[in-house]
């Protein structure tokens, strides 16, 4: 029986368990490409799945992990052959399809993106779903017509994964970035990433007025709840906020005032089922618009056996930047 190492999630009497275990290759799910996974990463959703704090996992046993980079071992898909370097994020991996914290993954070839030139597999996972989502948010703001000339942009949850990459990319593109964080100690880190201003998240976390002083032309919000409501009410006429996260909650206690009185737009960002063409575009832009030195500086490396412990840390808001998981 061929087996491989994986972080396996099982149902328990109370909740779920997550442990490093041997997984039987025969249990791999349907797919036309088998990949030797080399790197994965830790995202907020991985924390939810590993701790069982939210019902992310929809089948058992599950292999946790929502994204990987690796090398194709076997393929019956016309686009891929053994030896190709690939990246895969989302599509239900770690939720409904066996995931990425494993030496092997079998997925649909249609889910894969070629590793962009200039990025190593480790770089791709240092970016991971969080960084990919940050780039989808930047692309959405651009599509809305926002440019550095439009005015400042705000990034919330700035010291987290999505926030750190959004801050680094937007500043490299020439934006005046206002980074909002609850961790005052990370102000220097955020300035080093390129933030022009660092504000305390408490400025944005109270109940939102329907309209408040116009402060920014756009924003990337990974926090949700009253923070997103405040962002909207402080957005300049015609501006837009890309909403991609819920670190503070899923609710949105806002009003229609920013939309109907200032023409503000709320741009929804989903990385999981994002179609393949915008995926490729976002990865190309990450290869060109994210400073690799900064990426290295925001990235910490852990092993597969440390993943569970770090899952709890990311939910506690204790992770700065990005965490890559070395699989082999
Ligand atoms: P991280 O934990 O790395 O970052 C989240 C950050 O949010 C924290 O670092 C913290 O930043 C801030 N934060 C945490 N709790 C609170 C709170 N109660 N109030 C205000 N701010 C808070 O997670 P990720 O960056 O990986 O993910 C961020 C969010 O984006 C998550 O909700 C995740 O589910 C979502 N997401 C969505 C995707 C999509 O497809 N739409 C894809 C990827 C992620 P600081 O300390 O700087 O204040």
């Amino acid at each position: 029986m061929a087996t491989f190492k994986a972080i396996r999630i099982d149902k328990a009497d109370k909740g779920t368990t997550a442990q490093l275990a041997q997984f039987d290759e025969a249990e791999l799910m349907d797919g036309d490409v088998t990949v030797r996974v080399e790197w994965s990463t830790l995202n907020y959703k991985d924390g939810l799945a590993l701790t069982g704090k939210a019902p992310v996992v929809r089948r058992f046993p599950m292999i946790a992990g929502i994204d990987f980079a690796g090398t194709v071992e076997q393929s019956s898909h016309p686009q891929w052959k053994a030896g190709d370097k690939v990246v895969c994020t989302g599509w239900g991996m770690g939720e409904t399809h066996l995931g990425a914290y494993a030496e092997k993954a079998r997925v649909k070839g249609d889910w894969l993106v070629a590793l962009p030139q200039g990025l190593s597999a480790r770089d791709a996972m240092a970016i991971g779903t969080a960084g990919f989502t940050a780039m989808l948010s930047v692309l959405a703001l651009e599509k809305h017509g926002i440019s550095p000339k439009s005015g400042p942009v705000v990034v919330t949850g700035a010291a987290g994964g999505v926030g750190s990459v959004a801050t680094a990319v937007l500043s490299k593109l020439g934006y005046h970035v206002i980074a909002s964080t609850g961790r005052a100690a990370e102000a220097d880190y955020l300035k080093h990433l390129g933030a022009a201003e660092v504000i305390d998240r408490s400025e944005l976390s109270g109940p939102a007025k329907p309209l408040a002083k116009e402060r920014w032309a756009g924003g990337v919000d990974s926090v949700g709840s009253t923070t997103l409501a405040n962002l909207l009410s402080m957005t300049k006429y015609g501006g837009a906020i890309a909403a991609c996260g819920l670190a503070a909650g899923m609710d949105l206690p806002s009003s229609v005032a920013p939309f109907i009185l200032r023409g503000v737009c709320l741009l929804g960002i989903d990385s999981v089922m994002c179609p393949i063409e915008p995926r490729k575009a976002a990865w190309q832009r990450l290869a060109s618009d994210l400073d690799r030195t900064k990426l290295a500086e925001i990235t910490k490396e852990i092993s597969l056996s440390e993943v569970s412990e770090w899952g709890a840390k990311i939910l506690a808001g204790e992770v700065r930047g990005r965490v890559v998981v070395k699989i082999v």
Side-chain angles (χ1 to χ4, degrees):
M1 180 178 79
T3 64
F4 59 91
K5 266 193 295 182
I7 300 288
R8 179 184 168 117
I9 301 197
D10 286 289
K11 226 177 173 43
D13 287 348
K14 278 187 186 165
T16 56
T17 58
Q19 58 196 334
L20 184 57
Q22 288 294 323
F23 207 88
D24 185 352
E25 218 175 303
E27 285 183 69
L28 279 172
M29 292 168 74
D30 286 350
D32 44 14
V33 181
T34 305
V35 177
R36 186 171 71 249
V37 180
E38 285 147 11
W39 294 93
S40 183
T41 177
L42 182 75
N43 298 282
Y44 193 85
K45 193 187 267 176
D46 294 313
L48 294 173
L50 289 162
T51 58
K53 284 228 165 95
V56 166
V57 178
R58 302 289 179 172
R59 62 101 66 189
F60 297 95
M62 175 50 78
I63 294 175
I66 65 167
D67 45 12
F68 68 71
T71 304
V72 172
E73 261 185 10
Q74 273 183 339
S75 167
S76 58
H77 187 282
Q79 197 185 333
W80 306 109
K81 59 178 188 326
D84 287 344
K85 301 276 183 195
V86 291
V87 178
C88 192
T89 67
W91 299 116
M93 278 196 304
E95 302 182 61
T96 52
H97 192 93
L98 292 176
Y101 293 152
E103 291 170 311
K104 258 182 217 295
R106 184 169 298 143
V107 295
K108 290 186 182 170
D110 292 346
W111 293 356
L112 298 169
V113 170
L115 182 69
Q117 277 222 320
L119 288 184
S120 66
R122 187 182 189 277
D123 289 338
M125 282 301 103
I127 293 167
T129 296
F132 171 62
T133 302
M135 183 50 88
L136 290 177
S137 303
V138 172
L139 292 175
L141 293 176
E142 287 180 351
K143 195 171 169 194
H144 188 75
I146 292 171
S147 74
K149 284 192 196 133
S150 311
V153 288
V154 64
V155 174
T156 61
V162 173
S164 293
V165 176
T167 300
V169 167
L170 287 164
S171 76
K172 184 160 186 235
L173 291 172
Y175 287 89
H176 178 104
V177 178
I178 303 173
S180 163
T181 183
R183 291 179 270 179
E186 300 298 0
D188 285 346
Y189 163 82
L190 291 166
K191 289 205 167 136
H192 180 69
L193 281 185
E197 295 175 54
V198 178
I199 62 171
D200 194 286
R201 72 156 83 131
S202 59
E203 277 189 44
L204 305 173
S205 56
K209 291 181 187 160
L211 292 176
K213 187 169 174 254
E214 295 174 58
R215 293 176 73 176
W216 34 71
V220 176
D221 177 56
S222 61
V223 170
S225 192
T226 49
T227 300
L228 177 54
N230 276 295
L231 250 55
L232 289 167
S233 68
M234 295 176 190
T235 300
K236 289 184 178 194
Y237 193 94
I241 301 295
C244 63
L246 44 63
M250 233 194 196
D251 58 329
L252 177 52
S254 183
S255 78
V256 297
F259 309 123
I260 65 170
L261 298 175
R262 286 189 183 152
V264 167
C265 282
L266 181 56
L267 311 173
I269 305 299
D270 170 56
S271 67
V272 178
M273 301 309 287
C274 173
I276 200 74
E277 289 308 323
R279 268 177 202 262
K280 289 184 194 164
W283 279 105
Q284 286 309 325
R285 286 288 303 272
L286 283 160
S288 62
D289 294 343
L290 177 59
D291 184 318
R292 221 77 88 246
T293 311
K294 283 187 181 153
L295 180 65
E297 286 165 5
I298 67 170
T299 303
K300 180 184 168 51
E301 182 179 315
I302 63 169
S303 67
L304 206 47
S305 60
E306 294 172 286
V307 153
S308 293
E309 172 200 338
W310 279 81
K313 284 189 192 197
I314 198 166
L315 295 192
E318 290 170 9
V319 170
R320 178 173 97 172
R322 303 281 301 125
V323 176
V324 282
V325 182
K326 188 171 178 10
I327 305 289
V328 286

